[in-house]
Amino acid sequence: MLRLERVHSHYRKIEALKGVSLSVREQSISCLIGANGAGKSTLLMTISGVQPVSAGRILFRNELINRLPPEDIVKRGVVQVPEGRRIFSHLTVKENLLLGAYLRNNRNEVAACMKNAFNLFPILRERQAQAGGTLSGGEQQMLAIARALMGAPSLLLLDEPSLGLAPLVSAHIMRIIQQIRDEGVTILLVEQNAQAALELGDYGYVIETGRVVLEDRAAALLKNEKVKEAYLG
Amino acid sequence: MDSLLDQSSLFLQQLVNGITLGGVYALIAVGYTMVYGVIQLINFAHGEIYMLGAFLAYTMVTLLGLPFFAAFILTILICACFGVILDVIAYRPLRNAPRLAALITAIGMSIFLQNLALMIWGSQIKSYPREILPKIFYQTAWSLGEATLSWLQVFILVVTVVSMAILHLIIHRTRIGTAMRAVSLDKTTSALMGIKVNRVISFTFAIGSAMGGMAGILVGLYYNAIFPTMGYIAGIKAFAAAVLGGIGSVPGAMLGGGVLGIAEVIGAGYLSSEYRDGISYAVMIAVILFKPSGLIGRQIGEKA
């Protein structure tokens, strides 16, 4: 569904991605694990068209998307939940959700989509008139995911959804991610919590200093000695 | 003065004049504050858009012989386009450059536009010829004691209030308005939502410039004086109003404009009219010293 071929990306002169190749199969959960600064977030930002690709290709459903502006990528159904949730703090929960549906014109569909989001995260229905910034960390993460779902994604890019959350909340978010996949949305999950990610995922990539150094089925990576040593502790 | 007006009438008259002037400052200040809100740039060329508004309407009513209200509407539309052009040619190429570069460009555009106006219209002070303006403007709409309110002042106040109300609706009730607020909080995440960030920024310039141009016409009418450097002082005062209210906050700009207008007129009335401009500067300095976030601005240092 999504394929990256030797993707390079730079921040001025610093090369953050040094030829990353990976592919994400339809209806799967693919995980990207690695340390801080390995290039995981950069990778998602290049897929979303926010960070420019300096060499290589990104294909979505066999179409080249690495020269498209972010809005065209969202329009094709590739939507990101950014690291740190990045809720519009002064806007209400409802406004945040509506921004997720910014490119959709059919009001009935958007309303139905919001109803689904509220069913998935009932707390958001209660809080819909509240400013996004007043929500707790877990609630903000739910809002960030719900906001992305408002864009009717076929591929959801999740960047560190469990970051800074209590273990119980984080486990709840992981279950929700599985539920979203079961409803037919393909998922590319970036996580520092490698254990949780690999338990959830189907396939995994290990990324170090801008390169994919290892890839395998998630279950196999969980047993891999090197992965155990470096990421599972 | 006491022989002409009794004390309470004088105060009332100053208050009415102050509110009228304050409304105009608020109109200009909104343009500063909205642009600052979305790209953290003090658009120093904004005062020149205001000046161009006054001149364009002047040319339309004198040279082209358009009726006043047609010239009014047309000028506002052209100023909106100017705002977009300004953004696209002067500021957009510098979007990822250091903020100082854009600020210097803004000052450059301001000087350029002032001199362009000087070339086109000359340095002579122009005024809208009375005979082609609606006669009612100069009649008294309301008087109490010896204080009077002219229909021109009523027109200025109505235009100000209506456009502020429309602006409020745009910002809070429309899709583009929500996008503007989103872009002012976080551009990257806005892009991830599919918002065309550059288009939203241009739209912000369009709205701000439309209101600035409108203010130019209103002041041209009120003071009967249009000249190429009129945007400089007005721009600084509106900037002071925006700072007073809290730069980046639209209600703040409205409040700041009102307060500054009243302070200026009353100060000029009771102290000396020579202190007129000084009052604005004093207000700006006091705000920066004692309450840099302004009357209702966001807390400085808060992560947006």
Side-chain angles (χ1 to χ4, degrees):
Chain A
M1 184 183 214
L2 177 78
R3 203 163 73 237
L4 273 69
E5 294 174 354
R6 294 180 304 281
V7 170
H8 292 255
S9 185
H10 294 76
Y11 291 106
R12 295 186 193 274
K13 284 188 176 165
I14 300 159
E15 191 172 35
L17 298 179
K18 301 169 181 170
V20 173
S21 298
L22 59 81
S23 64
V24 176
R25 278 220 316 266
E26 191 122 22
Q27 307 259 342
S28 72
I29 298 182
S30 301
C31 314
L32 209 56
I33 60 175
N36 258 338
K40 306 184 303 287
S41 297
T42 306
L43 187 65
L44 292 197
M45 286 298 181
T46 53
I47 298 171
S48 286
V50 171
Q51 166 72 15
V53 172
S54 35
R57 311 199 301 164
I58 301 177
L59 296 117
F60 180 68
R61 297 191 196 282
N62 295 320
E63 274 181 273
L64 208 58
I65 61 165
N66 54 348
R67 297 236 174 266
L68 296 179
E71 64 268 14
D72 286 350
I73 292 169
V74 173
K75 218 176 273 172
R76 275 157 212 252
V78 181
V79 183
Q80 185 183 154
V81 180
E83 182 179 357
R85 348 201 199 282
R86 299 181 81 153
I87 295 304
F88 297 110
S89 55
H90 294 260
L91 270 53
T92 64
V93 167
K94 193 175 177 187
E95 284 170 335
N96 268 281
L97 290 172
L98 287 173
L99 281 167
Y102 189 72
L103 293 174
R104 298 171 70 185
N105 293 314
N106 187 324
R107 283 180 178 217
N108 295 332
E109 274 178 35
V110 171
C113 196
M114 183 150 348
K115 226 172 130 188
N116 279 339
F118 285 152
N119 288 338
L120 200 58
F121 303 107
I123 188 76
L124 296 181
R125 179 180 285 130
E126 286 170 35
R127 305 258 149 123
Q128 55 179 304
Q130 239 172 277
T134 63
L135 267 52
S136 74
E139 289 163 357
Q140 288 197 13
Q141 188 62 59
M142 293 176 197
L143 175 56
I145 294 173
R147 182 177 66 181
L149 291 176
M150 292 296 292
S154 48
L155 172 63
L156 190 62
L157 313 172
L158 285 155
D159 197 349
E160 306 273 15
S162 75
L163 193 73
L165 299 184
L168 268 177
V169 183
S170 152
H172 176 64
I173 296 281
M174 290 297 171
R175 276 197 304 279
I176 296 279
I177 293 170
Q178 192 159 28
Q179 203 176 331
I180 292 168
R181 192 270 308 267
D182 293 344
E183 282 168 17
V185 180
T186 309
I187 286 167
L188 178 56
L189 172 65
V190 164
E191 258 297 348
Q192 284 209 62
N193 184 348
Q195 182 83 31
L198 292 173
E199 278 171 10
L200 187 70
D202 302 299
Y203 202 82
Y205 295 87
V206 179
I207 181 165
E208 269 173 22
T209 58
R211 284 194 185 86
V212 171
V213 292
L214 193 61
E215 60 167 285
D216 207 336
R217 287 179 305 105
L221 283 180
L222 271 173
K223 292 190 192 111
N224 185 299
E225 286 303 323
K226 277 191 215 152
V227 174
K228 267 188 188 171
E229 195 183 320
Y231 300 106
L232 301 175
Chain B
M1 277 298 223
D2 284 299
S3 57
L4 292 172
L5 291 169
D6 65 82
Q7 280 304 315
S8 57
S9 290
L10 174 67
F11 180 76
L12 200 63
Q13 184 70 61
Q14 302 286 17
L15 196 64
V16 166
N17 294 350
I19 292 170
T20 311
L21 187 64
V24 176
Y25 285 162
L27 281 179
I28 315 172
V30 157
Y32 274 107
T33 220
M34 287 205 306
V35 165
Y36 185 85
V38 296
I39 53 172
Q40 286 76 51
L41 167 74
I42 307 293
N43 177 20
F44 279 114
H46 187 56
E48 274 56 52
I49 300 279
Y50 152 95
M51 174 270 294
L52 287 176
F55 269 118
L56 280 172
Y58 169 80
T59 300
M60 283 185 210
V61 292
T62 53
L63 219 62
L64 307 178
L66 284 178
F68 173 74
F69 288 105
F72 187 70
I73 303 289
L74 210 56
T75 299
I76 290 167
L77 294 177
I78 294 174
C79 283
C81 297
F82 270 152
V84 175
I85 294 168
L86 185 66
D87 173 44
V88 171
I89 66 169
Y91 303 138
R92 190 176 290 181
L94 296 169
R95 206 76 90 205
N96 297 316
R99 266 156 68 177
L100 190 61
L103 195 68
I104 292 167
T105 305
I107 295 170
M109 286 309 293
S110 163
I111 296 170
F112 168 74
L113 290 172
Q114 250 180 51
N115 286 285
L116 186 71
L118 197 63
M119 275 172 61
I120 299 174
W121 288 289
S123 58
Q124 283 284 319
I125 293 181
K126 306 268 191 299
S127 59
Y128 295 108
R130 262 190 182 220
E131 59 275 14
I132 50 176
L133 295 175
K135 282 189 187 61
I136 194 164
F137 273 4
Y138 299 98
Q139 290 162 14
T140 302
W142 177 77
S143 63
L144 184 73
E146 290 169 81
T148 59
L149 180 70
S150 71
W151 280 106
L152 176 60
Q153 284 177 308
V154 173
F155 176 70
I156 292 174
L157 286 170
V158 168
V159 165
T160 304
V161 170
V162 168
S163 45
M164 291 295 182
I166 292 172
L167 179 67
H168 184 84
L169 288 178
I170 290 175
I171 293 176
H172 291 277
R173 293 275 181 277
T174 66
R175 192 147 84 151
I176 184 88
T178 312
M180 276 167 64
R181 285 182 291 149
V183 167
S184 78
L185 290 170
D186 184 342
K187 281 182 219 18
T188 304
T189 307
S190 298
L192 290 177
M193 302 295 107
I195 296 169
K196 294 187 181 91
V197 174
N198 273 331
R199 191 172 294 185
V200 171
I201 293 170
S202 284
F203 180 78
T204 308
F205 270 91
I207 299 267
S209 302
M211 296 184 89
M214 183 155 64
I217 309 173
L218 297 178
V219 170
L221 285 171
Y222 192 51
Y223 286 138
N224 245 324
I226 310 166
F227 48 98
T229 52
M230 68 187 282
Y232 176 70
I233 287 284
I236 293 213
K237 286 187 182 167
F239 175 57
V243 171
L244 172 61
I247 189 98
S249 156
V250 172
M254 297 179 191
L255 181 67
V259 170
L260 197 67
I262 293 169
E264 190 181 310
V265 171
I266 291 195
Y270 286 96
L271 298 172
S272 156
S273 59
E274 286 165 12
Y275 290 140
R276 196 179 189 105
D277 296 342
I279 289 165
S280 306
Y281 297 119
V283 166
M284 184 158 64
I285 291 166
V287 171
I288 291 169
L289 279 178
F290 299 113
K291 198 165 187 316
S293 59
L295 294 175
I296 45 179
R298 287 180 202 153
Q299 291 301 307
I300 303 286
E302 178 190 7
K303 188 174 177 288

